[in-house]
Amino acid sequence: MKALRLVFLLLLISCTSITEEIYLNSDGSGEYMVYSDVVSSSRDMMLGMMSSIYPDASEDSLRQVVEAQIWADFPAEVDSIIDFTSRVPDSVKNDPESQKYLDKMEMFMRGSKEKGYLNSGMSYKFDAVKDLEDFLMFLNQNQAVGSGGTVGTDVPNLNVKYSFDGSSFSRTTQMEDFLDMSDSTAMMLNVMLQGAKSRFIVHLPRKAKNASSNQLVEQKGKDVIYEFELLKVINGEQSSDVKIDF
């Protein structure tokens, strides 16, 4: 499994934490989702700017102003599917092998002021965990933007593998070397990902019996939640491997 860059691209775009969710069925099929809260990221960015402009204002008052401005653009609940096909090159859309992934992939935006979030991200329905691995490989190889083709990014490589045998699920990850990482890019990455978290939520077909303790946040019924610090994962200081028996 080669580089999984989607997670890092989302982080660079949102400048905030991300969540990955996997819904597993008893036969190993399921749905994968990755998303970030665009309201949270916009709020943090705007608060930073406004606090420098109005240094005497309290954080609470600035937060109220900022959140009112953000939610003014989203007065009602949002539950939308985003058409991403215009950003996919014809060479990819017309390829039967690629089409099987595109047909099961959706870009979405969901949330509301009442719910307190507005998540923007992607989902993919997989037939088996190997199908999910292949899909993530496909994303890595086809990072389409507009009609120009693909994007070259010098972000780190995260090799990810999944395993499912009907009574256990695991994810193993390995951070490879940076790709042509210049000093300026490394500095930007450290600034943008400072404090960023990666939450990994697994929804099992049955109640979890045992979950690996590495960065475990909660094990409740069929749901298991982990949370990792992105900079530590990137720097090789924190493993993001998980194993769950059910």
Side-chain angles (χ1 to χ4, degrees):
M1 183 68 185
K2 289 190 176 180
L4 170 56
R5 297 183 182 175
L6 176 65
V7 169
F8 294 100
L9 290 175
L10 285 173
L11 277 166
L12 292 174
I13 292 170
S14 64
C15 305
T16 188
S17 301
I18 62 166
T19 298
E20 291 179 273
E21 288 194 63
I22 290 184
Y23 292 82
L24 283 169
N25 300 318
S26 57
D27 63 355
S29 63
E31 183 173 13
Y32 171 81
M33 300 173 63
V34 57
Y35 55 85
S36 62
D37 183 0
V38 296
V39 169
S40 176
S41 59
S42 300
R43 180 184 61 222
D44 293 344
M45 200 160 23
M46 291 176 67
L47 275 175
M49 291 188 294
M50 291 190 70
S51 61
S52 63
I53 298 173
Y54 305 103
D56 297 330
S58 69
E59 183 176 340
D60 286 343
S61 61
L62 290 178
R63 183 180 295 272
Q64 290 177 11
V65 172
V66 166
E67 290 192 353
Q69 291 177 345
I70 294 173
W71 286 114
D73 294 329
F74 304 98
E77 182 165 355
V78 178
D79 189 356
S80 303
I81 301 300
I82 302 169
D83 182 11
F84 64 92
T85 55
S86 62
R87 303 177 63 189
V88 180
D90 290 340
S91 59
V92 176
K93 284 191 289 188
N94 297 332
D95 175 36
E97 186 69 17
S98 300
Q99 193 62 47
K100 71 178 185 181
Y101 297 121
L102 296 176
D103 288 344
K104 296 189 291 183
M105 173 182 168
E106 285 187 346
M107 303 291 289
F108 62 82
M109 182 172 284
R110 298 171 185 149
S112 67
K113 182 178 180 180
E114 182 179 358
K115 293 180 177 177
Y117 63 82
L118 187 61
N119 292 332
S120 179
M122 176 212 75
S123 67
Y124 178 77
K125 293 182 179 179
F126 56 90
D127 300 320
V129 291
K130 181 61 170 65
D131 177 26
L132 176 58
E133 285 186 7
D134 292 343
F135 169 66
L136 296 175
M137 171 79 80
F138 163 76
L139 286 182
N140 175 66
Q141 296 173 338
N142 299 280
Q143 299 173 52
V145 174
S147 59
T150 58
V151 173
T153 55
D154 56 354
V155 297
N157 279 342
L158 181 62
N159 289 349
V160 182
K161 289 189 177 182
Y162 298 100
S163 174
F164 178 89
D165 65 7
S167 61
S168 68
F169 167 81
S170 67
R171 178 182 77 169
T172 57
T173 61
Q174 182 179 2
M175 184 61 63
E176 292 187 346
D177 294 335
F178 286 83
L179 300 176
D180 302 322
M181 182 66 70
S182 64
D183 290 342
S184 60
T185 301
M187 183 179 298
M188 179 188 70
L189 196 64
N190 275 272
V191 170
M192 297 184 77
L193 301 187
Q194 190 66 46
K197 305 288 186 180
S198 173
R199 178 162 281 216
F200 185 53
I201 305 174
V202 183
H203 305 277
L204 300 163
R206 297 188 300 277
K207 182 179 179 180
K209 295 180 179 178
N210 183 58
S212 55
S213 60
N214 175 41
Q215 300 304 122
L216 178 65
V217 173
E218 184 177 49
Q219 176 184 330
K220 186 176 181 180
K222 298 179 181 180
D223 301 331
V224 182
I225 303 175
Y226 295 89
E227 189 171 86
F228 307 96
E229 297 180 52
L230 260 298
L231 276 178
K232 286 187 177 181
V233 173
I234 290 173
N235 293 328
E237 300 170 359
Q238 186 178 95
S239 170
S240 57
D241 293 356
V242 307
K243 186 177 188 303
I244 308 167
D245 297 318
F246 54 90

